[in-house]
Amino acid sequence: MKAVRQLSTSSRILANYGFIGLGQMGQHMARHIYNQLEPNDSLYVHDVSRDATETFVNTVTSASPDRKDCLKALYNISDFVTGVNAQLDYIITMVPEGRHVKGVVQQLIETYQQGAPSTTKTTILDSSTIDIPTSIEVHNYVKQQIPEFDFIDTPVSGGVAGARKGTLSFMLSRPTDESISPSLNTLLKKMGKNIFPCGANHGAGLAAKLSNNYLLAVTNLAVADSFRLAHSFGLDLVKYSKLVAVSTGKCWAAVDNCPIPGVYPAEYRLPVDDGYNGGFITKLTKKDLVLATDAAKFNDRFLFMGDVSRHWYEKACEREDIASRDLAVLYEWLGDMEQQADGTIVDKKDV
């Protein structure tokens, strides 16, 4: 039997949250929710990796033990319906691909339908970066199966550093700031700094996200190329990095995710200073670039830098040591590239 919605003795309605996907981004987003829970709120968490789930719970409760009774690990998707004290207000998904979002949501909806009638509305927020058609399909499925429920695309920008610091930007399929409910605004502000309503039609948030990440992928490749050019001139790359940071070439890939080690203090925790580990990995950048270029073709929009950028990201991801590390590692990878006399570009590590 599904739990009945619990109300506080004051005028405030208790908040019950679910979070699915505790990877590089999700673990920090869920941590910020946990750290800002009110005494009688609840947070339920799950990752496909049981170890990731248990590590998350142990880490956050050790750091802030006063809220540990508000947190519970769940080990099955259906538990977000059957294993909670009260029906959840919001369930956030942060998973790799559209097929994962689709599978999670279908299991949630089917479990809800097998139980007692819902006593309140549950809103599913998908912060994953997936293809727009799948997101629209899932949204329509939710509204058809349980009309009072909602499924909103809420992708984020800011990278792992933004997730860690709680400064993410959220992009929503909502027409105006006023159309974002106070409870949703409160939840998003626990994890991020900026909330952008991108349009009334479902998929508008993802459209903004893919456009943004297309720009990220292209500029990241250009930054790697620029720093390799500076290297060929024999410039001091630490000094060059600081020059770019206050000049017209300034951009996120050159400054916030600088590809040159030792430029910024250790407390900035840039991936480059940890062997390009711990950031937004190259193969996920490639994934977003593929989604953006495919979406552009579906939208009859020609991208001048689309195919060439996609080619080089796909080439880079043929090497697992590049694909599995932060996207700034393209600077390292370009150092392994060599142009032969006939104009052919080869990876020296393959020769």
Side-chain angles (χ1 to χ4, degrees), residues 33-333:
I33 296 174
Y34 171 79
N35 286 338
Q36 297 173 74
L37 291 173
E38 296 292 337
N40 293 312
D41 290 347
S42 298
L43 173 62
Y44 300 87
V45 297
H46 168 80
D47 191 272
V48 67
S49 165
R50 188 183 185 96
D51 287 344
T53 306
E54 294 179 350
T55 297
F56 173 83
V57 171
N58 292 334
T59 300
V60 300
T61 56
S62 295
S64 302
D66 56 311
R67 296 181 179 85
K68 65 180 181 180
D69 292 339
C70 298
L71 178 65
K72 183 179 179 181
L74 300 177
Y75 298 103
N76 295 288
I77 298 300
S78 59
D79 290 342
F80 282 86
V81 181
T82 61
V84 297
N85 292 330
Q87 185 176 329
L88 302 185
D89 301 292
Y90 292 99
I91 300 174
I92 303 165
T93 54
M94 190 63 164
V95 296
E97 299 177 14
R99 61 190 176 91
H100 302 119
V101 175
K102 188 174 181 179
V104 165
V105 173
Q106 285 181 335
Q107 191 170 349
L108 286 171
I109 295 300
E110 289 172 1
T111 308
Y112 274 117
Q113 291 175 323
Q114 292 168 4
S118 300
T119 58
T120 188
K121 171 182 177 179
T122 294
T123 299
I124 302 170
L125 306 175
D126 181 36
S127 289
S128 320
T129 301
I130 66 173
D131 61 290
I132 297 173
T134 294
S135 187
I136 292 174
E137 177 187 349
V138 174
H139 171 78
N140 291 340
Y141 166 78
V142 170
K143 300 305 290 184
Q144 290 167 0
Q145 297 299 316
I146 309 180
E148 62 268 29
F149 280 25
D150 205 354
F151 175 86
I152 310 173
D153 53 321
T154 57
V156 299
S157 180
V160 175
R164 184 186 301 115
K165 297 174 185 176
T167 58
L168 292 172
S169 294
F170 283 87
M171 293 155 274
L172 285 71
S173 291
R174 286 293 182 269
T176 62
D177 289 326
E178 293 72 25
S179 64
I180 301 172
S181 70
S183 62
L184 176 53
N185 186 75
T186 296
L187 173 56
L188 297 180
K189 283 296 181 70
K190 292 180 187 295
M191 300 176 285
K193 185 177 181 181
N194 304 300
I195 301 174
F196 296 100
C198 298
N201 295 329
H202 185 87
L206 277 169
K209 167 67 174 181
L210 294 180
S211 298
N212 177 78
N213 276 31
Y214 170 72
L215 178 60
L216 165 63
V218 172
T219 54
N220 180 65
L221 184 59
V223 164
D225 223 10
S226 169
F227 279 81
R228 276 294 159 191
L229 176 62
H231 179 268
S232 73
F233 290 141
L235 299 181
D236 182 322
L237 293 185
V238 171
K239 292 181 179 179
Y240 179 67
S241 299
K242 294 179 179 179
L243 179 152
V244 170
V246 294
S247 302
T248 54
K250 179 181 180 181
C251 62
W252 184 89
V255 181
D256 300 81
N257 206 50
C258 180
I260 306 303
V263 176
Y264 296 99
E267 56 264 28
Y268 281 44
R269 301 177 68 180
L270 295 188
V272 66
D273 293 315
D274 186 27
Y276 298 102
N277 292 307
F280 187 54
I281 62 176
T282 307
K283 62 184 174 184
L284 290 181
T285 310
K286 183 203 75 171
K287 183 203 81 169
D288 290 359
L289 181 58
V290 169
L291 288 174
T293 52
D294 286 349
K297 291 173 183 176
F298 182 80
N299 201 41
D300 293 326
R301 174 62 212 173
F302 172 72
L303 295 175
F304 287 88
M305 301 299 296
D307 289 340
V308 65
S309 297
R310 180 168 173 169
H311 168 79
W312 290 115
Y313 273 94
E314 289 176 340
K315 186 70 177 175
C317 287
E318 290 176 2
R319 278 176 49 180
E320 181 57 29
D321 64 315
I322 301 299
S324 61
R325 290 190 286 164
D326 180 82
L327 71 165
V329 77
L330 287 194
Y331 168 76
E332 180 182 289
W333 177 67

Side-chain angles (χ1 to χ4, degrees), residues 7-15 17 37-41 190:
L7 301 179
S8 66
T9 55
S10 68
S11 60
R12 181 182 177 275
I13 298 178
L14 305 185
Y17 304 120
L37 291 173
E38 296 292 337
N40 293 312
D41 290 347
K190 292 180 187 295

